[in-house]
Amino acid sequence: MKTLFDKTVLKGMKMKNRFVRAGLYLALAGEKGRLTPEIFKIYEELAKGGVGTIITGYSYIREEDQPNTNMVGIYDDSSIEDFKKFTNMIHQYDTNVILQIASGGSLTYAPIGGRKILGPSAVENQTTKITPRAVTKHEIKELAKSYAEAALRAKRAGFDGVEIHTAHGYLLSQFLCPYYNRRTDEYGGSIENRSRILFDVYNQVRKAVGERFPIFFKINSSDYMENGLTIEDSLYVAEALAKLGADAIDVSGGNESSTEAIENNLTTARTGIYNSTEKESYFKDYAIELAKRISIPVILVGGNRHIEVMEELLNKNNIEYFAVGRPLTCEPDLINRWASGDIRKPKCISCNKCYYTPGKRCIIR
């Protein structure tokens, strides 16, 4: 019988347990996206707390494409030395660290100023009310190159891998979404065309970092919006990425560029799940189906709370890893607590009040 504390290996990366800290934007970066002492402190708490692998909050890969304020950036080589100190700090606790990299497009809350905001099509973002300029095919190639350069910086800085953020309504997610992608060229229309940019990005990243460096993709199971990415189309994309050579699929859901998804509590950080095992692990049905179809590991994020629920998914449905976000914000040492035999559910009540505090801190700690 498998357990959540099994030691496993993923693309040569030793995993001391099956717990992954889900990527979470902290809003604590300094000028030009630099790491700060506060960021080091939060991630050191997490590494000390026993989680086997940390996926960082998203980092922007182009200076002009910053989805949020005080966000970490890896858009040029000047950040590498700081990141080396960061990865060395985490590694001393026998914890892996994966850098999540992203393009925001029109889902941006940072001041626009003179920045050029790009999208698959010139469609107003439902939540930010920003209308981007449709990206050209030449710019798509340049974007893929930027991902590759950022991934190579991550490798040089000592990260154990990268995760390409393709979920939640950011730029790559918008390409997959028919509402936002209304192109008539080879990057629009069918799901084969809408996902083409992901394959371009993967190929460029793989060429840059080599065959042995892990590349994860975070993808929506569904956009949960009218004319959004469907479950069947998402399964196609995930299967295609696995065949292409991606090393893990991080399953999420909900389009934050959709007022429908937000208003119906269908984004990745759902509330109202605290006292219901039926409502937790809310992307599990998709993850179960995906795990049947691909041979690479599936990482399940979204409302993972009870050990017994996760262990059942692990043993009955072959979901290999479980990402935890808000509970580790509330209790950074949660995994150590569980490992000691105290397997009570997390203290986190999924209220999302942490999202409105400096550093995304829990209000009940």
Side-chain angles (χ1 to χ4, degrees):
M1 179 177 174
K2 298 177 183 177
T3 78
L4 295 168
F5 295 95
D6 290 340
K7 294 181 179 179
T8 61
V9 178
L10 196 168
K11 191 63 178 278
M13 182 169 55
K14 295 179 181 179
M15 318 278 276
K16 67 182 180 184
N17 55 50
R18 297 182 185 274
F19 293 106
V20 177
R21 195 274 192 159
L24 178 63
Y25 155 68
L26 296 176
L28 286 174
E31 187 178 357
K32 295 187 178 297
R34 290 303 179 89
L35 297 169
T36 59
E38 292 90 347
I39 290 175
F40 272 78
K41 180 180 178 181
I42 287 173
Y43 281 99
E44 185 168 25
E45 286 180 348
L46 290 164
K48 283 182 178 178
V51 68
T53 301
I54 294 172
I55 298 176
T56 69
Y58 61 178
S59 297
Y60 61 106
I61 61 172
R62 309 178 93 176
E63 191 169 10
E64 70 275 13
D65 183 11
Q66 182 180 348
N68 238 314
T69 56
N70 299 107
M71 179 180 168
V72 172
I74 192 165
Y75 55 83
D76 66 25
D77 289 354
S78 67
S79 60
I80 292 176
E81 288 306 311
D82 281 349
F83 277 121
K84 283 182 179 178
K85 296 174 185 175
F86 178 74
T87 58
N88 286 337
M89 178 269 291
I90 292 174
H91 287 151
Q92 71 178 325
Y93 298 103
D94 192 25
T95 302
N96 303 308
V97 58
I98 306 291
L99 183 72
Q100 187 182 85
I101 51 179
S103 302
S106 63
L107 186 56
T108 177
Y109 295 94
I112 294 176
R115 295 191 293 135
K116 57 182 179 181
I117 305 299
L118 301 177
S121 305
V123 177
E124 182 184 80
N125 190 289
Q126 292 183 11
T127 55
T128 66
K129 305 304 179 185
I130 295 169
T131 300
R133 175 175 62 78
V135 64
T136 67
K137 287 190 278 188
H138 173 72
E139 287 170 329
I140 288 173
K141 290 182 173 59
E142 291 299 308
L143 179 65
K145 181 180 177 183
S146 294
Y147 272 99
E149 291 171 345
L152 182 57
R153 290 184 195 110
K155 182 179 180 180
R156 290 170 58 194
F159 284 94
D160 298 288
V162 291
E163 178 171 271
I164 298 169
H165 198 335
T166 315
H168 303 168
Y170 295 101
L171 183 58
L172 294 182
S173 175
Q174 289 176 7
F175 265 88
L176 297 178
C177 175
Y179 178 87
Y180 285 108
N181 185 345
R182 305 182 190 183
R183 301 175 73 96
T184 57
D185 61 8
E186 64 266 38
Y187 290 95
S190 67
I191 186 57
E192 291 83 3
N193 284 353
R194 285 183 279 125
S195 55
R196 190 182 305 274
I197 188 172
L198 275 66
F199 309 146
D200 291 350
V201 168
Y202 170 81
N203 286 329
Q204 287 297 314
V205 170
R206 180 58 77 199
K207 183 178 178 181
V209 300
E211 291 299 322
R212 299 178 63 183
F213 192 69
I215 301 173
F216 298 0
F217 275 83
K218 187 167 194 170
I219 188 169
N220 274 358
S221 52
S222 169
D223 281 345
Y224 298 104
M225 63 180 286
E226 186 176 356
N227 203 23
L229 177 71
T230 65
I231 288 174
E232 278 306 314
D233 279 357
S234 178
L235 288 167
Y236 164 81
V237 176
E239 286 185 85
L241 288 169
K243 290 176 184 175
L244 200 59
D247 298 300
I249 302 294
D250 188 359
V251 171
S252 189
N255 193 319
E256 294 176 13
S257 289
S258 164
T259 54
E260 180 183 353
I262 293 170
E263 289 171 358
N264 289 292
N265 193 28
L266 293 173
T267 60
T268 187
R270 298 182 184 179
T271 56
I273 66 168
Y274 178 64
N275 288 316
S276 173
T277 55
E278 290 75 22
K279 290 182 179 180
E280 67 183 67
S281 303
Y282 32 79
F283 303 122
K284 61 181 177 292
D285 290 344
Y286 172 95
I288 289 168
E289 180 60 30
L290 180 61
K292 295 175 184 175
R293 300 191 185 197
I294 63 175
S295 58
I296 64 173
V298 171
I299 303 169
L300 176 61
V301 72
N304 293 318
R305 294 293 184 272
H306 285 79
I307 277 193
E308 57 267 30
V309 173
M310 289 182 274
E311 286 190 336
E312 182 174 357
L313 289 167
L314 170 66
N315 283 287
K316 290 188 177 180
N317 300 287
N318 206 33
I319 297 170
E320 293 289 337
Y321 300 100
F322 296 85
V324 181
R326 291 169 291 173
L328 289 178
T329 296
C330 182
E331 294 177 88
D333 62 346
L334 174 63
I335 308 305
N336 281 342
R337 170 161 77 79
W338 280 345
S340 74
D342 180 356
I343 60 171
R344 290 172 296 159
K345 67 183 177 182
K347 295 177 183 177
C348 172
I349 59 171
S350 306
C351 66
N352 286 356
K353 297 290 178 60
C354 55
Y355 283 20
Y356 307 102
T357 67
K360 303 296 189 286
R361 292 290 197 177
C362 179
I363 65 168
I364 64 174
R365 281 185 65 186

